[in-house]
Amino acid sequence: QQLQVEAYFRQISGQELQKVLSNWSNLYYNMEKTMDAMNEEGSDFTYQDLLQQTLQLGSDRTADILTDFQQYIYKHENDLGDKETVTGTAYIACIVSSLKYDFSGYKVNPRDVIKLQIKDYDEHADMYESPMKKIEKEHPWG
């Protein structure tokens, strides 16, 4: 009976984790549209819900990256220039990558997540390298 209960909760949390991963991916690839939908009056799923579910369902590593991302946003909310935007993008890519690992066990390089969205990544790779190295140093794969 205990095994059945554990399997049930694993299945439920797996479905919820998949939803969280999907929402972060949507946020990354369609940030403006996704944030508008989350902030819309009467929205049944808000950014705060996304943070809460990520914290509840994600691994320790995912939660740590999420926490650092939110702190970065709080510290730089009034001065969002190119550097801050690139760093925010790097954090979200790392969250997506870490959630992918939590959900599937497959590691995806966060740089590849960025390359899917940034057309001229090769021209600007050096801009992304600094924040990526910092995040990876603070949150290495286990």
Side-chain angles (χ1 to χ4, degrees):
Q1 185 179 11
Q2 181 66 23
L3 290 176
Q4 287 177 328
V5 170
E6 287 177 18
Y8 172 76
F9 281 108
R10 216 175 296 122
Q11 178 184 2
I12 295 298
S13 76
Q15 292 169 348
E16 290 299 312
L17 186 55
Q18 182 179 11
K19 180 181 173 186
V20 169
L21 174 58
S22 177
N23 280 304
W24 275 105
S25 295
N26 287 341
L27 183 64
Y28 181 78
Y29 293 111
N30 300 301
M31 187 172 294
E32 189 174 330
K33 181 180 176 183
T34 303
M35 286 303 289
D36 287 348
M38 287 183 183
N39 291 327
E40 196 172 274
E41 180 91 20
S43 173
D44 63 341
F45 192 78
T46 65
Y47 182 70
Q48 205 60 36
D49 294 331
L50 180 59
L51 295 178
Q52 181 181 4
Q53 287 186 0
T54 305
L55 188 60
Q56 289 174 343
L57 299 170
S59 65
D60 292 350
R61 180 177 187 270
T62 300
D64 289 345
I65 296 169
L66 175 68
T67 302
D68 285 354
F69 172 60
Q70 280 304 118
Q71 285 299 305
Y72 186 81
I73 295 298
Y74 296 146
K75 290 175 186 171
H76 298 281
E77 62 188 339
N78 294 324
D79 61 343
L80 287 176
D82 288 345
K83 179 182 181 247
E84 290 77 21
T85 301
V86 165
T87 301
T89 299
Y91 270 113
I92 294 173
C94 288
I95 291 168
V96 169
S97 178
S98 191
L99 282 168
K100 169 76 174 173
Y101 183 73
D102 295 348
F103 175 67
S104 69
Y106 293 106
K107 290 182 182 176
V108 174
N109 188 324
R111 287 167 185 81
D112 292 337
V113 174
I114 294 171
K115 288 176 186 178
L116 288 170
Q117 184 69 8
I118 307 298
K119 294 175 186 170
D120 54 356
Y121 178 84
D122 290 338
E123 293 175 32
H124 302 288
D126 56 327
M127 288 175 35
Y128 291 95
E129 265 319 293
S130 178
M132 289 302 300
K133 284 181 180 178
K134 179 181 183 289
I135 296 166
E136 289 172 342
K137 181 179 178 186
E138 292 173 1
H139 308 285
W141 290 103

